Amino acid sequence: MLQLSTSAMPVREFKYHTKAIRAVAVFPDGRRMVTGSFDKTLCLWDLRTGAMLKKMEGHHDRVTTLVVSRDGQLIASGDQKGVFIIWHGETGKPLTQSTKAHSNRIYTLDFSPDGTVLASGSEDNTTKLWCTTTWELQGNPIERRNCVRCVQYSPSGEFLAIATYANIQIYNSNTRECVADFKGQIPYNFSLTWTPDGTRLLTAGHKNDPTIREWDTMTWKQVGDPWMGHTSDISSIAVHPAGILVASASYDNHIRLWRLSDRRTIAVFQHSSWVGCVTFSVDGKHILSGGSDRMISGWAVPKSAWPDSKARVIANRNMVISGKSLWEDVLLDAQKVIELNPLSHVGYRLKYAALHGAKRYDEAVEAFRLMLTKLDNAHDMQIRKLREQYASPSEADSIIEKVINVQLDTAPLRLLETATGRLCDREVQISTFKTTTEYKQLLLSIMKHADLPREIVADVVATYFGCVMLSHRWEGKEPLLHDIKGKVVYQLEAAGGLTKLQLFCKKVHQAGFHWAWVDSCCIDQNNHVELQKSLNSMFAWYRNSALTIVYLSDVPPSSKSGALTKSAWNTRGWTVPEFLAPKVILFYQQDWTLYLDNDSYNHKESVEIMHELEDATGVDAHTLVTFQPGMRDAREKLKWASTRVTTVAEDIAYSLFGIFGIQLPILYGENKENALGRLLQEIVARSGDITALDWVGQPSTFNSCLPASISSYAAPPCTLPFSEDQIQTAVSSLHHTMAIELASNVYDRLDNMSAARFANCRLHLPCIVHRVTEVRRRQDLAQETHFTYGVKADGLHDLSITTEETLIQFTWARPTPQSFLLVRPWDRRLLELPDFAEPAFDDDAVDLPDPGTPLDHSRYSAKREQIDSERRSRALRLIVRLGQPFGAFLLAQQRGGEYKRIASDRDIIAQVKDATSVHNMMDIRILEIL
């Protein structure tokens, strides 16, 4: 166990400054140190002798920050007035004039690891990046709403961390994209630093929260509890070169030394007044700190913190070199550590870090595996416990495999690898992934962070396996599976559909995606099981694609708005799900340039293109962007497809399975009427929605209540306008002419009716029935193929019906044995019931008394009366609606007692004679219709 040590006597003091010291940095060679003070000067020191080598003058206000480049060649310092100066690292001579970088004090500076950029952060709420060859500003400042207290590059240089008073932001150094944003300290952030391996970020802050917080740089989530011990502002934090210790400086006059592994304080060093800066010596044996006592104090790191001194010295050098990316030297040092103590895990951890940094990932995995073995076999219980935070290579691979299986469950079976042009099955896709840098880095991340959130793993997997789908028209000879299987697409002779395939794959590869899919050649058309699975999965594949590219082969280059509307692509059946399902879509012209030169990430975000697609498809622009599959608005969805055509007749139905969320057997050869009939049967059976029965045209042989062709839905549905004001007026008059009990009885009878259902192609349809008493044919010489009949029915006004079928004529005086009915298909929407799909509770409903508590009868009686009143109101509204004109079916009884619908070339609109006596003509039945 490490014992807490305290000291108020430094082992060395560096005195020269005349005012408080706010900044200190050690050179990579470990021999020198530079300090910055409120006395407006910098001082260069010899760490071995303690001698002040050079006083560096040039600032005209307090020096508030400084930094030394990783190679020790440059010093940058900033002051209270927002000015920075660049100095030569060896001589201490100024290399630049005073540069007015900010409008207010510069709190922080840092060089990028490669030394090409200097980042500055200021009280003026900005971070600026400066080119270290020209010292000119690179790009626009990064503007924040609060003072910037600290900026620091990650050890690899991939990220730039910025601490403002309010929060911590992490930026991608290359793209300047903010990849993380979190609160950090409460209420203010004062300092931050990275661990040498880049896996942790430490933050420190205000006296109201005088703690250090540790953040996982994979998830940006806090690790463990805050480190507690200081009692005032923490002005600075530094990490030991080997990444095992942390030093913090505070306005409580103390330096605290922490052990990173368990976040415990192992030593406290006391200054005479506030401390503003702290750092470690390169060998890690000393802490250097300064503040308002105007000197730098050198403190000895307790030897108990360094049990393997010789190995640790090499490890120190290792970490310093790591910052320079001299990985081969690091590897040699790691090997020396292993030789000095082969039973320790430390050398293997360093070896892993070196191999990982050198991007020798396979060897890094093996080094990490050996490190785990050493941890498993360690005698020290505390060291063995370190093993719990890691995962073995096999454990990490198993985690990734599970995520891959979930990802590929909604992806095509075969994909084209865009880099090579090879067609790959699922096994090859996975094995290819496992050869990539992405996989190896993910494997190492999980090994190092066994608790790595699965969403991070899923994000890496989804990014790699993200597939780009093609939506196009088949034209001429398209390449099939046997044409490309076992071949390289890019090496095949470019002609016809192959040219399109090659250009598509190249376009996808240029966009940075690994995988592409084309319907013509990625499905085995001769394998019925695969074909069935593929067609039923098609909507989900497009839905989960990273991108769908629509190729408009008939839209010339540089076309103007409107060309998309005219494209034959809009006439094809399969393109309906192909533009509804994807979340991201791009339209390309004949020459594979973007339509309208719109280079946005997603054309579904283009108002112009979506309105044009709305005009072409009849689908409103909002639905194009937000479409969700399901049974809702079935009639409208059928209308979208009503003008579409497919090469194979049955495909007009099969192409719609996905938008309704339906999976059915694919039975090519069954004919289009059966295919459409099975789809419509499933819609009605699952949803009870009878709007699919609203059509005009030819009846299907599948069932007479269904159309023979999807084109029968082209006409708008039968809707008869009746305003809310008209309903309210009619309800008011019913209050005086009709007993509410009669209306409630009708309402209850209809409420108890079951929904429409199909069984073995027979429709069981709940109806309000009106017996037909007369059918007379009318002479109409203008119609040679259709016949018009005058029809009378009980309780209805007379009406005319035009049909291709020849009907038996009869009257009340001359009846016929065959029964004819005019029926109103019962639509439960007329009950105006609330949607029970989502439970909705009001305050009264959820405020239930505990069992045994006396009820407040007056309160609940009032609630019951409200419910009853609403039901009575709905009952009267139902009577009013039943008295209005409605779309009727003419049914003819068959020999077995079933009925058949007589199709008409227009809607049959029926009207009750007396709306006030609707309740007297309620012949409500469930009819079986063939």
Side-chain angles (χ1 to χ4, degrees):
M1 293 289 291
L2 292 178
Q3 299 297 317
L4 178 66
S5 66
T6 60
S7 175
M9 294 295 294
V11 297
R12 174 171 282 180
E13 296 177 345
F14 299 81
K15 297 181 178 180
Y16 185 84
H17 287 292
T18 59
K19 291 187 178 180
I21 298 174
R22 192 62 184 83
V24 60
V26 176
F27 284 79
D29 60 12
R31 296 183 296 105
R32 293 173 302 140
M33 168 180 71
V34 63
T35 55
S37 169
F38 285 178
D39 64 11
K40 308 178 188 179
T41 70
L42 283 72
C43 286
L44 203 58
W45 305 83
D46 186 317
L47 283 173
R48 289 176 295 182
T49 65
M52 198 277 288
L53 302 175
K54 184 176 180 61
K55 181 179 179 182
M56 301 156 63
E57 297 179 291
H59 284 284
H60 300 289
D61 210 320
R62 295 177 174 182
V63 176
T64 51
T65 182
L66 62 80
V67 65
V68 176
S69 63
R70 303 297 198 272
D71 60 5
Q73 295 302 302
L74 297 175
I75 303 168
S77 58
D79 67 24
Q80 186 89 2
K81 288 189 175 179
V83 169
F84 73 66
I85 300 174
I86 308 301
W87 314 80
H88 193 283
E90 289 291 335
T91 66
K93 293 181 179 179
L95 297 176
T96 68
Q97 299 295 322
S98 298
T99 301
K100 180 65 174 176
H102 292 271
S103 60
N104 211 324
R105 94 176 77 180
I106 298 175
Y107 267 122
T108 176
L109 294 165
D110 194 32
F111 284 105
S112 62
D114 61 7
T116 61
V117 179
L118 174 70
S120 61
S122 168
E123 196 172 25
D124 66 8
N125 302 352
T126 68
T127 298
K128 296 182 179 181
L129 305 181
W130 307 86
C131 173
T132 58
T133 55
T134 64
W135 299 110
E136 293 181 353
L137 185 64
Q138 290 188 338
N140 295 322
I142 300 173
E143 298 187 2
R144 308 310 306 165
R145 295 182 179 178
N146 300 98
C147 167
V148 178
R149 284 303 302 256
C150 189
V151 298
Q152 193 174 108
Y153 282 95
S154 64
S156 67
E158 181 181 2
F159 300 115
L160 174 65
I162 300 177
T164 70
Y165 275 151
N167 49 14
I168 307 291
Q169 287 103 24
I170 310 298
Y171 286 84
N172 182 297
S173 300
N174 293 322
T175 65
R176 294 203 187 186
E177 175 190 6
C178 183
V179 298
D181 189 334
F182 50 95
K183 176 63 179 172
Q185 303 298 125
I186 302 169
Y188 303 126
N189 300 291
F190 279 0
S191 183
L192 59 74
T193 191
W194 302 78
T195 57
D197 61 4
T199 62
R200 293 289 189 267
L201 182 74
L202 306 177
T203 61
H206 187 263
K207 62 184 178 183
N208 290 347
D209 180 24
T211 64
I212 297 173
R213 296 175 188 263
E214 181 179 352
W215 307 88
D216 187 321
T217 60
M218 290 294 292
T219 64
W220 302 113
K221 302 296 184 184
Q222 186 172 326
V223 179
D225 296 325
W227 306 9
M228 303 179 70
H230 284 298
T231 58
S232 190
D233 301 345
I234 301 176
S235 56
S236 178
I237 45 178
V239 179
H240 190 280
I244 61 171
L245 303 173
V246 175
S248 56
S250 171
Y251 276 46
D252 64 8
N253 304 354
H254 290 94
I255 299 292
R256 298 185 80 90
L257 181 64
W258 313 77
R259 188 168 56 190
L260 184 59
S261 60
D262 59 9
R263 309 173 185 92
R264 292 183 180 179
T265 301
I266 59 176
V268 177
F269 308 106
Q270 185 172 349
H271 278 252
S272 60
S273 55
W274 62 260
V275 192
C277 56
V278 67
T279 191
F280 283 94
S281 61
V282 169
D283 63 8
K285 293 182 178 180
H286 293 90
I287 295 171
L288 301 160
S289 58
S292 65
D293 56 8
R294 298 172 293 178
M295 67 179 181
I296 292 293
S297 298
W299 311 91
V301 173
K303 289 184 178 181
S304 56
W306 280 96
D308 302 323
S309 58
K310 189 171 182 182
R312 295 294 187 177
V313 169
I314 297 174
N316 288 342
R317 177 171 173 263
N318 193 331
M319 290 298 180
V320 174
I321 297 174
S322 296
K324 301 180 183 178
S325 301
L326 301 177
W327 301 112
E328 293 304 321
D329 290 342
V330 176
L331 190 57
L332 292 174
D333 284 348
Q335 195 60 44
K336 292 177 183 177
V337 175
I338 293 171
E339 292 169 0
L340 287 166
N341 191 350
L343 298 179
S344 172
H345 73 286
V346 174
Y348 291 99
R349 179 174 66 84
L350 298 177
K351 184 175 182 180
Y352 151 76
L355 292 168
H356 187 278
K359 301 182 180 179
R360 292 161 59 177
Y361 298 116
D362 292 330
E363 296 171 85
V365 170
E366 178 59 19
F368 201 93
R369 187 189 66 77
L370 291 171
M371 183 195 82
L372 297 182
T373 302
K374 302 304 177 183
L375 288 173
D376 287 333
N377 298 328
H379 297 297
D380 190 313
M381 180 63 71
Q382 287 294 105
I383 293 178
R384 281 209 305 276
K385 285 193 70 176
L386 293 175
R387 173 64 177 83
E388 297 174 4
Q389 63 185 299
Y390 303 125
S392 68
S394 60
E395 290 168 339
D397 181 73
S398 178
I399 291 170
I400 297 172
E401 283 267 12
K402 289 177 182 177
V403 176
I404 289 174
N405 290 335
V406 172
Q407 171 71 24
L408 296 185
D409 191 49
T410 54
L413 305 176
R414 292 187 188 83
L415 295 171
L416 286 156
E417 188 181 15
T418 60
T420 65
R422 296 181 305 136
L423 186 65
C424 302
D425 61 20
R426 190 155 291 178
E427 184 178 345
V428 175
Q429 294 166 35
I430 295 173
S431 62
T432 301
F433 174 51
K434 290 188 176 182
T435 66
T436 65
T437 298
E438 291 96 325
Y439 168 78
K440 293 169 184 175
Q441 288 179 332
L442 182 60
L443 186 75
L444 288 165
S445 294
I446 297 173
M447 289 167 62
K448 196 166 185 181
H449 306 276
D451 59 348
L452 187 72
R454 295 303 174 261
E455 56 267 25
I456 293 179
V457 181
D459 185 57
V460 174
V461 169
T463 299
Y464 177 81
F465 285 101
C467 173
V468 179
M469 310 283 283
L470 179 66
S471 176
H472 66 124
R473 286 190 304 128
W474 284 40
E475 300 171 280
K477 178 172 171 45
E478 297 284 345
L480 302 178
L481 178 68
H482 66 82
D483 295 318
I484 68 167
K485 189 174 183 180
K487 302 172 184 176
V488 176
V489 166
Y490 298 131
Q491 295 176 358
L492 298 176
E493 183 179 352
L498 267 172
T499 302
K500 175 169 57 178
L501 176 62
Q502 291 168 342
L503 292 173
F504 168 64
C505 288
K506 288 178 181 177
K507 184 64 67 175
V508 174
H509 184 60
Q510 290 168 2
F513 295 97
H514 301 290
W515 304 102
W517 185 88
V518 181
D519 55 359
S520 61
C521 60
C522 293
I523 300 175
D524 186 350
Q525 315 276 348
N526 297 318
N527 184 324
H528 178 74
V529 174
E530 181 181 331
L531 184 62
Q532 166 120 346
K533 178 177 176 59
S534 297
L535 295 188
N536 269 313
S537 303
M538 198 78 73
F539 185 92
W541 291 352
Y542 277 93
R543 186 68 161 185
N544 294 298
S545 66
L547 166 67
T548 291
I549 285 179
V550 177
Y551 178 58
L552 307 172
S553 60
D554 54 354
V555 174
S558 304
S559 291
K560 303 300 181 183
S561 183
L564 169 59
T565 306
K566 300 172 185 176
S567 173
W569 175 83
N570 285 302
T571 67
R572 308 304 297 176
W574 278 108
T575 59
V576 175
E578 291 170 7
F579 66 71
L580 287 173
K583 298 172 184 174
V584 182
I585 198 167
L586 291 174
F587 291 88
Y588 282 84
Q589 302 172 130
Q590 190 180 79
D591 64 348
W592 289 95
T593 57
L594 287 164
Y595 181 58
L596 302 184
D597 291 326
N598 186 315
D599 60 358
S600 63
Y601 161 72
N602 183 7
H603 284 172
K604 281 200 171 183
E605 296 178 356
S606 166
V607 174
E608 181 180 11
I609 293 177
M610 286 302 100
H611 278 304
E612 188 174 344
L613 193 58
E614 176 181 333
D615 294 339
T617 64
V619 184
D620 71 84
H622 179 73
T623 301
L624 287 170
V625 176
T626 63
F627 179 80
Q628 295 292 331
M631 299 295 178
R632 189 182 292 274
D633 301 321
R635 178 63 174 75
E636 179 68 10
K637 292 173 182 173
L638 293 166
K639 185 176 184 298
W640 297 341
S642 62
T643 59
R644 301 275 170 160
V645 294
T646 55
T647 302
V648 180
E650 294 90 345
D651 277 345
I652 197 63
Y654 301 161
S655 66
L656 300 179
F657 285 2
I659 72 171
F660 288 104
I662 288 173
Q663 290 201 353
L664 293 172
I666 304 298
L667 306 172
Y668 281 119
E670 64 174 323
N671 76 48
K672 69 174 182 179
E673 289 188 27
N674 268 25
L676 182 60
R678 288 194 297 119
L679 169 64
L680 298 174
Q681 172 181 261
E682 192 74 6
I683 293 170
V684 174
R686 287 198 193 183
S687 66
D689 183 355
I690 62 169
T691 59
L693 309 180
D694 182 1
W695 52 270
V696 293
Q698 296 298 312
S700 171
T701 56
F702 185 89
N703 185 282
S704 63
C705 268
L706 302 178
S709 170
I710 194 76
S711 61
S712 292
Y713 293 109
C718 177
T719 54
L720 301 168
F722 197 55
S723 71
E724 181 61 27
D725 288 343
Q726 290 173 305
I727 293 176
Q728 290 294 350
T729 301
V731 167
S732 297
S733 65
L734 277 181
H735 275 293
H736 306 294
T737 59
M738 184 178 195
I740 189 64
E741 290 78 11
L742 293 176
S744 294
N745 288 339
V746 172
Y747 188 93
D748 290 341
R749 286 183 64 194
L750 290 171
D751 190 14
N752 290 326
M753 290 294 289
S754 61
R757 63 184 179 86
F758 265 99
N760 298 320
C761 303
R762 293 169 178 249
L763 173 62
H764 298 266
L765 184 67
C767 301
I768 299 173
V769 177
H770 301 270
R771 183 174 62 90
V772 174
T773 58
E774 181 177 307
V775 174
R776 288 179 182 269
R777 180 176 171 181
R778 295 176 179 173
Q779 297 298 320
D780 190 350
L781 299 179
Q783 297 191 52
E784 298 180 357
T785 59
H786 292 73
F787 307 100
T788 301
Y789 297 90
V791 177
K792 297 179 184 292
D794 289 340
L796 300 178
H797 288 292
D798 297 349
L799 67 160
S800 296
I801 295 175
T802 302
T803 179
E804 288 186 8
E805 298 194 34
T806 302
L807 303 181
I808 297 173
Q809 300 185 67
F810 65 94
T811 65
W812 177 83
R814 297 176 58 186
T816 177
Q818 186 178 19
S819 173
F820 286 83
L821 304 176
L822 269 171
V823 303
R824 176 178 196 147
W826 171 235
D827 188 345
R828 288 187 60 82
R829 291 179 300 176
L830 294 180
L831 295 173
E832 297 184 333
L833 291 169
D835 186 357
F836 299 124
E838 294 292 337
F841 300 105
D842 57 26
D843 292 338
D844 291 336
V846 297
D847 187 16
L848 298 176
D850 294 330
T853 303
L855 289 174
D856 182 349
H857 289 286
S858 61
R859 177 183 176 188
Y860 289 101
S861 294
K863 185 65 179 176
R864 171 49 58 189
E865 176 57 32
Q866 178 187 347
I867 293 172
D868 291 343
S869 175
E870 291 172 355
R871 188 174 179 85
R872 288 193 294 270
S873 175
R874 289 200 299 269
L876 291 174
R877 291 171 65 86
L878 174 63
I879 296 298
V880 170
R881 289 187 179 278
L882 292 177
Q884 300 308 306
F886 63 91
F889 293 173
L890 176 61
L891 304 180
Q893 192 176 35
Q894 306 300 294
R895 289 182 180 180
E898 311 94 340
Y899 288 84
K900 177 185 174 184
R901 179 177 174 180
I902 306 300
S904 176
D905 65 347
R906 66 195 68 177
D907 291 319
I908 300 174
I909 306 300
Q911 168 80 61
V912 297
K913 289 180 178 177
D914 183 4
T916 61
S917 61
V918 165
H919 60 284
N920 293 323
M921 58 183 78
M922 284 292 107
D923 182 1
I924 304 172
R925 303 186 227 166
I926 294 179
L927 301 176
E928 185 176 4
I929 304 173
L930 302 176

